[in-house]
Amino acid sequence: MTTPTRACSIASLKLRQILDSRGRPTVEADVLLNDGSLGRAAVPSGASTGKYEAHELRDGDLNHYEGQGVQRIAAAAQAELQPRLLGAEALDQNRIDAVLREIDGTPNLQRLGGNPILAVSLAAARAAAIHTRQPLHRYLNGLVPGVAPSLPLPMTNILSGGAHARQGMDFQDFLVVPAGAESYSQALEWISQVRSAATRLAVREGFTTLLADEGGLSPGYERSEQALSLLVWAIETTGLRVGEDVSIAIDVAASQLFSSNSGRYSLRGIGADLTSQQMLIHVSELCRSYPISSIEDPFDQDDWEPWRQFTSAFRGERLQIVGDDLFATNAERLGTGGREGVASAVLIKLNQNGTLTGTLEVMECARAQGYATVVSARSGETEDSFIADLAVATGAGQIKIGSVRNSERLSKYNQLLRIEEEGALPFRNK
Ligand SMILES: O=C(O)[C@@H](CO)OP(=O)(O)O
Ligand SMILES: [Mg+2]
C-alpha cells in the first residue's frame, strides 16, 4: 500500500487465540509498526447475539468447544491479512479498515470472521496511538473531527437474567444509572454502594447471590417486578434519591424471548406467551410503574410495529429507548430506525460492526439523526479496555460495561478513572 520503510507502517501482524471471561476462545491481535510501536487488541463475544451482527467465526457453541478451532481461524486470517497489510500506513485507519473489508469480501465478514478482522482494526489504532505518543482516547478523538470528548455516564448491571444467568428473570439486564452524579468517580462510587446494598438485601431475603456472566447478581427471581423492587430498595437503602440521583435501566433482550414461528414472546416469569401487542402493554406498564429511565430491546429485532408504537407512546417522556439487536451497530438499520421513528438511542458494540471505522460511522449517523449513543461491552469480555477510550473519544455520553465485580469489566471502569484523572474532560457533556 505504501513504502514499508516508514516508521508508522505495519511491519508485522500476529493473531492468536486467547480466552474470554466465560473461559471460551476468542481472538487477540498484535500489530507491530516499523518504529517498534506494538498495538494489541482483543475482541469480545456476545451470548444474546443479534442476527444482523458481523459474523463471529466460533468453535462450537456457548457450552461446548472443540479446543483449537479459534486458533485455526486466527491463523487462517493472519495468513491472508498479513501480506496485504505489510507496509500499510497505520495512521490511515480508514484505508486499513477498507482493505480488511475488501480482503474478506463479504458484507457481514463471514469468510475470515468479524472477530479476527476487528482485532486487527483495533490493534492498528492502538499501534498508531503509541506511535504518535498519545493516549488512545486522544488519538481516537482525532479520527472524529469536531466531536468533543467527554467522560461517559455508566449504566451498570446489578441483577442479571436471560441468556446471561441461566436461571430466574426473563429479562437480561437490570441496571442502575447514576444520572445525578457530578463526576464519573462519584457515579462509580454510587454504583458500588447500590451494588453492595442489593447484595445485602438479597441475602437478607434468603436469595442466592451467585453471579451471572457480567458479574450481576442472579438471585433466581421469577418475575421482573421482584428485580425492579430490589433495585428501588437498594437505591433507597444507600440514601440516594430514586429516579433523581439514581434511576433504573433494563435490557429486555427480547429477541431471545421471541419465536418467529409463533410470533410470540415466551415469558416464563408470568407463565405466558405474549403476542406483540400484549408484550407492548406489559413493558409499557413496567416503564410506568418503576423509575425506569432507559429500556433496551423491548421487542424482537424484526418486530418493527410494536417498536414504532412504543416509541411514539413514550415520545416526550423521559424514557430512552435503545436499539441493540435491532440496529446491530449497522448504519443502514439505524437509518431505517430514524426514518421509521423507532427508538431514541443506539447501543454501540464494535464487534457487531466489525471495524473501528464502520463503528465511528454508525456513531456519526446517530449524531446526525439525533439519537443518543451507549458504547457497550459484550457478555463474554477480555481485559482489553478499548471501549473506555472509545466512549471518551467519541463523546458517546453513556457506557454499558456490566457489573463492577470482575476484572474484565473493571479494566474499563478503572481506565475511565485514569482518564478522568488527566483532567479537563467534562462528565457526559455536563
Ligand atoms: O445484550 C447486550 O446488551 C449484551 C451486554 O449486556 O449482551 P451480549 O453481549 O450477550 O449480547
Ligand atoms: Mg442488549
Side-chain angles (χ1 to χ4, degrees), residues 46-48 164 172-173 214 251 296 324 349 378-379 400:
S48 61
H164 295 173
Q172 183 178 283
D173 302 331
E214 298 192 25
D251 179 4
E296 180 179 327
D324 171 12
K349 289 169 166 169
R378 300 304 307 243
S379 49
K400 179 184 168 200

Side-chain angles (χ1 to χ4, degrees), residues 227-377:
L228 292 165
S229 300
L230 183 89
L231 285 188
V232 171
W233 194 16
I235 298 167
E236 280 169 351
T237 304
T238 59
L240 293 161
R241 292 167 303 168
V242 183
E244 286 169 64
D245 293 328
V246 181
S247 60
I248 293 175
I250 53 176
D251 179 4
V252 177
S255 299
Q256 298 289 312
L257 307 172
F258 188 72
S259 148
S260 43
N261 289 334
S262 64
R264 284 172 182 262
Y265 295 84
S266 170
L267 278 100
R268 280 174 305 135
I270 56 174
D273 288 348
L274 304 184
T275 62
S276 296
Q277 286 304 306
Q278 289 167 332
M279 184 70 171
L280 179 64
I281 294 167
H282 179 59
V283 291
S284 301
E285 276 173 6
L286 286 178
C287 290
R288 296 229 149 86
S289 313
Y290 291 88
I292 295 176
S293 60
S294 178
I295 182 167
E296 180 179 327
D297 280 355
F299 309 102
D300 176 65
Q301 57 212 335
D302 289 319
D303 201 10
W304 289 84
E305 189 47 36
W307 271 104
R308 267 189 288 272
Q309 293 175 325
F310 184 78
T311 310
S312 87
F314 281 90
R315 185 159 290 128
E317 296 187 35
R318 282 175 49 195
L319 178 68
Q320 170 175 268
I321 303 168
V322 189
D324 171 12
D325 292 350
L326 178 75
F327 296 139
T329 318
N330 175 303
E332 211 172 298
R333 289 187 66 84
L334 181 59
T336 306
R339 282 190 301 280
E340 305 247 338
V342 160
S344 58
V346 52
L347 207 75
I348 300 293
K349 289 169 166 169
L350 284 157
N351 77 330
Q352 283 183 330
N353 183 282
T355 66
L356 174 58
T357 304
T359 304
L360 296 177
E361 279 165 10
V362 173
M363 297 184 84
E364 177 50 39
C365 168
R367 266 188 296 276
Q369 63 186 49
Y371 277 44
T373 49
V374 185
V375 169
S376 174

Side-chain angles (χ1 to χ4, degrees), residues 41-224:
V43 299
S45 166
S48 61
T49 43
K51 72 179 188 214
Y52 299 101
E53 300 192 12
H55 188 75
E56 181 190 8
L57 279 182
R58 291 215 58 87
D59 175 9
D61 61 22
L62 260 184
N63 304 311
H64 177 79
Y65 69 91
E66 301 295 333
Q68 287 301 304
V70 172
Q71 184 59 43
R72 281 193 292 275
I73 290 159
Q78 179 177 325
E80 281 204 46
L81 298 178
Q82 166 138 283
R84 294 280 305 274
L85 286 173
L86 285 190
E89 155 89 48
L91 298 176
D92 193 350
Q93 187 72 37
N94 269 324
R95 180 87 185 105
I96 287 179
D97 289 341
V99 170
L100 287 170
R101 284 204 171 272
E102 187 187 301
I103 300 172
D104 180 87
T106 66
N108 67 344
L109 307 178
Q110 69 189 46
R111 200 176 66 78
L112 294 178
N115 32 349
I117 287 178
L118 180 66
V120 173
S121 174
L122 303 185
R126 206 176 243 134
I130 292 168
H131 170 79
T132 58
R133 295 167 194 267
Q134 295 181 82
L136 181 59
H137 65 89
R138 223 169 285 152
Y139 174 74
L140 294 177
N141 182 250
L143 301 180
V144 285
V147 171
S150 61
L151 287 152
L153 174 64
M155 179 188 273
T156 301
N157 265 55
I158 303 295
L159 299 161
S160 302
H164 295 173
R166 289 164 285 273
Q167 65 158 3
M169 299 88 73
D170 294 302
F171 295 179
Q172 183 178 283
D173 302 331
F174 294 84
L175 315 102
V176 290
V177 185
E182 284 301 317
S183 64
Y184 169 74
S185 40
Q186 184 176 48
L188 196 55
E189 258 173 58
W190 286 2
I191 286 165
S192 64
Q193 284 166 15
V194 174
R195 190 184 192 287
S196 358
T199 311
R200 285 197 307 276
L201 295 172
V203 170
R204 194 192 300 168
E205 282 200 302
F207 285 96
T208 158
T209 53
L210 288 173
L211 302 184
D213 286 358
E214 298 192 25
L217 300 169
S218 171
Y221 293 151
E222 282 181 3
R223 296 178 63 94
S224 304

